[in-house]
């Protein structure tokens, strides 16, 4: 007999932003540390620096990359990250997904840099190197984030 763990509404909302993060959530999941800044600094334009920062924070907060629409985030997040990066015109981020492959290349770089692993990657299934406490902890709603232990 199949068992459903999530309601249809919960399943639909999983891995997306359903509300604006609180100030403590912004500070916890979207604060850019030295490792983040080192990776972001390799980008040539403000749009790419800010876009990559959005992806870094998003994967920490919702536990996955947003793929086709990496900017489907509350504007408060973009402004918070732009402030940390010294970017005056946060709207420049709208140019970030113009070259679709950039979004996926950045996601792959983030995944490698911070040792995030995909649940569907069979190489890591059942491995003791995979931890469901994640490198940065739980998501705001108490869900576990999985990544390799560091």
């Amino acid at each position: 007999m199949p068992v459903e763990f999530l309601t249809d509404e919960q399943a639909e909302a999983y891995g997306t932003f359903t509300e604006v993060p609180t100030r403590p959530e912004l500070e916890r999941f979207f604060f850019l540390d030295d490792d983040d800044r080192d990776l972001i600094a390799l980008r040539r334009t403000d749009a790419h620096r800010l876009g990559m920062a959005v992806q870094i924070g998003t994967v920490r907060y919702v536990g996955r990359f947003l793929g086709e629409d990496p900017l489907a985030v509350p504007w408060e997040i973009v402004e918070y990250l732009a402030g940390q990066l010294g970017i005056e015109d946060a709207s420049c981020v709208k140019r970030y997904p113009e070259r679709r492959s950039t979004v996926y290349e950045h996601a792959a770089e983030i995944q490698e840099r911070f040792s995030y692993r995909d649940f569907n990657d069979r190489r890591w299934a059942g491995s003791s190197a995979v931890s469901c406490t994640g490198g940065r902890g739980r998501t705001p709603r108490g869900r576990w984030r999985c990544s390799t232990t560091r």
Side-chain angles (χ1 to χ4, degrees):
M1 167 162 47
V3 177
E4 290 191 28
F5 294 99
L6 300 175
T7 66
D8 290 341
E9 183 179 285
Q10 289 171 322
E12 176 87 17
Y14 181 75
T16 64
F17 288 89
T18 56
E19 57 197 26
V20 175
T22 63
R23 184 66 184 192
E25 290 171 337
L26 282 173
E27 292 168 354
R28 179 174 180 196
F29 294 97
F30 296 92
F31 173 78
L32 301 173
D33 63 20
D34 290 340
D35 287 338
D36 302 331
R37 289 174 181 274
D38 289 345
L39 184 60
I40 291 165
L42 299 174
R43 308 309 121 201
R44 291 182 303 190
T45 68
D46 283 349
H48 285 182
R49 283 189 285 277
L50 189 50
M52 180 170 256
V54 168
Q55 287 213 71
I56 289 170
T58 297
V59 75
R60 288 180 191 154
Y61 187 77
V62 298
R64 71 179 196 89
F65 296 101
L66 298 183
E68 290 297 316
D69 194 4
L71 302 179
V73 302
W75 191 249
E76 291 84 350
I77 290 171
V78 175
E79 290 176 333
Y80 181 76
L81 292 166
Q84 289 182 73
L85 295 171
I87 297 172
E88 291 184 26
D89 180 14
S91 69
C92 72
V93 78
K94 294 175 184 176
R95 293 190 310 272
Y96 178 62
E98 286 176 354
R99 183 175 164 264
R100 178 63 42 205
S101 60
T102 297
V103 172
Y104 292 103
E105 290 164 3
H106 287 183
E109 285 183 64
I110 293 164
Q111 200 171 1
E112 182 164 331
R113 177 70 166 260
F114 300 111
S115 300
Y116 295 143
R117 300 290 175 231
D118 190 325
F119 283 120
N120 297 322
D121 189 338
R122 293 177 191 243
R123 293 175 297 168
W124 299 98
S127 168
S128 61
V130 176
S131 165
C132 285
T133 58
R136 307 246 180 187
R138 286 181 162 203
T139 66
R141 289 163 194 84
R143 294 187 295 253
W144 290 102
R145 177 178 295 109
C146 291
S147 68
T148 59
T149 54
R150 294 172 38 148

